Structures are given as C-alpha cells and as structure tokens.
C-alpha cells in the first residue's frame, strides 16, 4: 500500500490539525481511523512517513515527528469499543519504538537542523531541459520550525511562495531560458524551483546573513551550482545560481545600478515581501530599478511576478499606490492550485500573484 499523500504532507511537515487522511481512509472499511489501523496499515504509514528515505536523510522538525506519531498512536490506543465485527488493533512495535524515542529526544537541542521537502514532481514541469530529473521530485529545504527565528521571517517558507511555485510549475515558460532575480528569497523555494524548471541563471537575494547562508546550502542540497559573486565561467554548469546580499533599504543608487547591470534579469520573482509598510517603498524602488532596465536598454520587457499575502488592507493599498507612483503597471495572474503537488496551508490572508511591468509610457530616470 503506497500512501503518497501521507508522504508529501509528512515531508512538508503539514500540521496535524490540517493533515488530510483521505487517501488512507479509502483503505479502511467504514472510513474511520478509530481502531481500524491494522498492522499492515500501520506499516504503510511508517514507510510513507518516518521511514521514508527522504525523511531519514532530511528529517522534518523533531517536534513535528513527535506530533505525527502521537496522533497515529492515539488513533489506535483510543479506539472505540469494537462493534463486534471489527477487530481492534494494537500499535506495532516499530511505531511504539519510534514514538518512545521521539518523546525522549524532545528536550534535546533547540537549534536542530530540520528540513521540509516540497513535492514539485512528477510530470513535464521543466521546459524540456535536462536540468530537471527524477531526483528533483522534491525540493528539500533546511528551515526553522518557528515563524520568526534569529530575528528574521526568512528562515521558513511562506504560503505565498507555494502559490508562486504552483504558477511556475504550470507556466515554466515564464522563466525557461531566462535570467531570474529573486527578491527576499528566504530559504529559497522559488529561486530553486526556477533553477530546476530551466532558468538560464538565478540570482537569489536577501538581507540577513543567516538567511543567505541557508539559501546557499539549500541550493546545493538541491543540486544547484552556486558561484560566488563576480565569478564567471566560460561553460557554466547547470542549473546555476548566485546567492547575493541585497538590502532594499540601504543599497545606494550607484550600487543598485551596478547590480542591475551585472544581474541582467529578464524576470523578477518575489513572494511575501510586501508585508510591512516600512519596506514597501524600498521594495518598489527595487522593482522599478530592475523592471525599467528594459525601457532604458530598449530590450524585451522585463517583468516581475510577485506573490503577496494580503494581511493588512492598508499595506496592500500602499503597495499598489507605490507601484502606480513609480510608473509600474500590474495585472493579476490566475493561479490553478497544484492539488497533487505540495500542500497549501491557509495562513491568514488571500494570496495574489501579480505581473508587474513598466507602463508603456514609462520615462526612465536616466532619460529624465
Ligand atoms: C516573509 S519572508 C518571505 C520569504 C520567502 N520569499 C518566502 O515566501 O518563503 C520575507 C523575506 O523578505 C526579506 N526582506 C525583508 N526586508 C528586506 C530588505 N529590506 N531587503 C531585502 N530583503 C528583505 C526577509 O529577510 C525575508 O527573507
């Protein structure tokens, strides 16, 4: 019995309150887990989760593993009295052993390295290039379990990134063969997906050193070659990325125009970066600098794909008005949820993906 939906949720550490057991329930007479987890079903759950090879190599947070095992054990232990026909079952040894070990390990280091793996899988997501192979069914990221860790929001993946990933998966031509810049990359899901889906080159940028280090490690975990800033190779390996420090609030004009020139981005991507009114104007300054490069050089339009979680109407309106003030236009992209891919968490706030570009009558700064 292969429980692929249990695997994709467990590897992504989907909270137990949201965990969808439908695929498992289809295997159980009466479709109720209470007391119905036969030894063979328990084995299948363990194989699909804790004993899955990717979970062994890249374990989800220890606290999550414990919650998961506790839930499964409770479904068996708290079974309803048998209604005669149905046989009650006990926990298999391997389940109990894993549960006990997890419980005794729970007080250990709070700085554990833990991972989440996102199913990107299965079909023709790349643009037919050899960069995307079976080994890339998942993007595995080193992440922190907490929302804010080490003073930054960047050490975990946010739902807007998953929405942008869903769009890129069905529309890889957005980035195929192109030079991509990611703003506020965090641990790197979107930028890494772009590299695996066939971008010619990806520059992932963020501000906090801990975030940049995690993004760099995550690129390597997923088989993406990273080059130090400024290094060029005559025959670069693929997929390829640079991880670069960029603080929208402090970068000087000259430094910014040098970066625009060196990155030569055809597409900008960003997810969950317009969440705080203080950073919205600097963020729009970045978008303007990169997007209007096309106007200045008279080349093919440079576009930005921005996924935004609308947590505050005021911040959202500020973002829209700053775009407008800067001579940028936007339209909304219809995103079809990737129901067989990674799991989507609803964490408060509608998520929109926007396509942003320079207005056709945009006057570049240089032109005055
Ligand atoms: C909510 S997290 C989103 C991370 C990632 N894009 C995602 O969707 O999972 C916001 C990201 O924006 C970055 N950020 C915030 N202010 C920034 C600034 N002034 N310059 C560059 N990056 C910034 C943070 O470091 C963080 O990685």
């Amino acid at each position: 019995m292969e429980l692929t939906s249990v695997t994709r949720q467990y590897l992504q550490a989907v909270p137990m309150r949201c965990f969808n057991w439908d695929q498992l329930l289809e295997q159980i007479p009466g479709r109720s887990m209470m007391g119905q987890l036969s030894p063979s079903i328990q084995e299948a759950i363990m194989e699909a989760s804790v004993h899955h090879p990717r979970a062994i190599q890249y374990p989800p947070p220890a606290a999550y593993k414990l919650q998961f095992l506790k839930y499964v054990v409770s479904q068996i232990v708290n079974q309803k009295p048998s209604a005669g026909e149905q046989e009650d079952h006990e926990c298999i040894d391997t389940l109990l052993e894993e549960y006990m070990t997890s419980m005794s390990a729970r007080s250990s280091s709070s700085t554990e390295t833990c991972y989440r793996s996102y199913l990107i899988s299965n079909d023709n997501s790349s643009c037919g290039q050899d960069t995307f192979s079976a080994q890339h069914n998942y993007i595995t990221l080193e992440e922190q379990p907490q929302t804010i860790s080490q003073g930054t929001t960047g050490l975990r993946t946010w739902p807007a990134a998953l929405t942008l990933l869903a769009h890129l998966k069905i529309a890889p031509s957005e980035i195929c063969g192109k030079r991509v810049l990611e703003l506020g990359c965090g641990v790197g899901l979107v930028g890494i997906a772009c590299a695996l889906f066939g971008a010619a080159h990806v520059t992932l940028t963020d501000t906090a050193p801990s975030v940049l280090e995690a993004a760099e490690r995550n690129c390597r975990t997923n088989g993406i070659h990273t080059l130090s800033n400024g290094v060029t190779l005559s025959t670069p390996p693929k997929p390829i990325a640079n991880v670069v420090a960029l603080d929208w609030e402090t970068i000087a004009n000259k430094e910014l125009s040098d970066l625009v020139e060196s990155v030569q981005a055809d597409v900008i991507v960003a997810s969950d970066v317009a969440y705080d009114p203080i950073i919205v104007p600097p963020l729009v300054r970045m978008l303007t600098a990169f997007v209007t490069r096309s106007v200045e050089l008279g080349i093919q339009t440079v576009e930005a794909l921005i996924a935004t979680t609308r947590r505050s109407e005021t911040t959202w309106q500020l973002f829209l008005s700053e775009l407008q003030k800067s001579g940028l236009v936007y339209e909304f992209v219809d995103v079809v949820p990737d129901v067989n891919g990674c799991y989507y968490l609803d964490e408060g706030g509608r998520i929109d993906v926007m396509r942003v570009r320079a207005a056709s009558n945009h006057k570049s700064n240089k032109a005055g």
Side-chain angles (χ1 to χ4, degrees):
M1 183 191 315
E2 206 189 350
L3 297 174
T4 49
S5 126
V6 171
T7 300
R8 78 182 164 107
Q9 293 178 83
Y10 181 79
L11 291 178
Q12 203 185 313
V14 170
M16 296 321 293
R17 67 188 149 79
C18 313
F19 209 95
N20 182 337
W21 293 98
D22 284 355
Q23 191 195 13
L24 177 67
L25 293 177
E26 281 165 18
Q27 318 284 330
I28 301 177
R31 296 194 164 213
S32 157
M33 273 173 76
M34 281 291 190
Q36 302 299 311
L37 295 181
S38 66
S40 64
I41 291 180
Q42 293 178 41
E43 281 294 349
I45 293 173
M46 295 301 280
E47 289 308 306
S49 57
V50 177
H51 293 163
H52 189 279
R54 190 165 285 260
I56 292 169
Q57 189 175 6
Y58 299 112
Y64 178 74
K65 178 180 175 184
L66 177 60
Q67 276 171 23
F68 178 87
L69 291 168
K70 186 175 174 187
Y71 183 88
V72 176
V73 168
S74 73
Q75 294 300 307
I76 301 162
V77 172
N78 300 327
Q79 52 194 312
K80 286 184 183 145
S82 166
E85 296 284 304
Q86 300 290 353
E87 183 192 345
D88 291 342
H89 301 290
E90 293 187 343
C91 293
I92 58 172
D93 289 348
T94 45
L95 170 58
L96 274 184
E97 276 160 25
E98 286 286 2
Y99 182 46
M100 305 305 271
T101 314
S102 268
M103 276 210 294
S104 53
R106 86 179 131 178
S107 57
S108 66
S109 167
S110 59
T111 55
E112 57 166 338
T113 301
C114 56
Y115 299 88
R116 286 198 164 91
S117 297
Y118 300 87
L119 184 67
I120 53 167
S121 110
N122 34 42
D123 43 32
N124 52 350
S125 310
S126 72
C127 20
Q129 304 189 1
D130 57 5
T131 50
F132 191 85
S133 68
Q135 79 179 68
H136 292 127
N137 277 352
Y138 288 90
I139 291 178
T140 292
L141 302 179
E142 180 187 319
E143 295 192 11
Q144 291 301 317
Q146 304 85 358
T147 303
I148 296 183
S149 173
Q150 300 171 38
T152 171
T153 55
L155 288 170
R156 56 157 289 195
T157 297
W158 292 80
L162 302 179
T163 304
L164 189 47
L165 174 67
H167 174 64
L168 295 172
K169 196 179 160 192
I170 55 160
S173 58
E174 297 269 20
I175 42 93
C176 263
K178 297 186 180 170
R179 295 183 62 84
V180 177
L181 169 84
E182 179 167 19
L183 294 171
C185 64
V187 284
L189 181 73
V190 170
I192 289 170
C194 290
L196 296 178
F197 290 172
H201 181 277
V202 183
T203 305
L204 297 97
T205 68
D206 207 294
T207 176
S210 58
V211 174
L212 294 164
E213 284 159 20
E216 178 119 26
R217 281 193 296 275
N218 285 334
C219 283
R220 279 191 246 114
T221 299
N222 292 282
I224 294 164
H225 304 272
T226 53
L227 289 181
S228 308
N229 220 358
V231 173
T232 51
L233 296 175
S234 51
T235 49
K238 287 205 166 179
I240 190 163
N242 286 48
V243 180
V244 175
L246 167 59
D247 187 329
W248 320 323
E249 292 179 80
T250 58
I251 187 166
N253 283 341
K254 168 79 174 79
E255 226 185 312
L256 178 57
S257 57
D258 289 349
L259 188 67
V260 170
E261 280 313 304
S262 66
V263 171
Q264 306 223 339
D266 306 307
V267 185
I268 323 302
V269 290
S271 59
D272 209 346
V273 285
Y275 56 92
D276 177 344
I278 292 172
I279 57 171
V280 166
L283 167 67
V284 173
R285 177 177 162 236
M286 296 305 107
L287 291 174
T288 312
F290 283 97
V291 165
T292 57
R293 184 179 83 95
S294 52
V295 179
E296 306 200 347
L297 301 180
I299 57 170
Q300 195 192 352
T301 310
V302 176
E303 290 184 338
L305 288 166
I306 316 285
T308 305
T309 302
R310 290 199 210 180
R311 297 189 184 84
S312 141
E313 193 53 29
T314 315
T315 308
W316 171 245
Q317 291 304 332
L318 174 69
F319 182 46
L320 299 185
S321 76
E322 287 291 322
L323 290 174
Q324 217 175 1
K325 258 183 12 202
S326 306
L328 303 180
V329 289
Y330 58 85
E331 63 190 25
F332 292 99
V333 176
D334 276 335
V335 179
V336 182
D338 177 21
V339 287
N340 294 317
C342 48
Y343 187 89
Y344 294 89
L345 287 180
D346 179 7
E347 280 186 359
R350 170 177 155 179
I351 298 174
D352 289 295
V353 175
M354 309 159 80
R355 188 184 302 284
V356 177
R357 61 169 81 92
S360 51
N361 60 353
H362 184 93
K363 298 264 187 301
S364 78
N365 290 340
K366 274 187 193 156

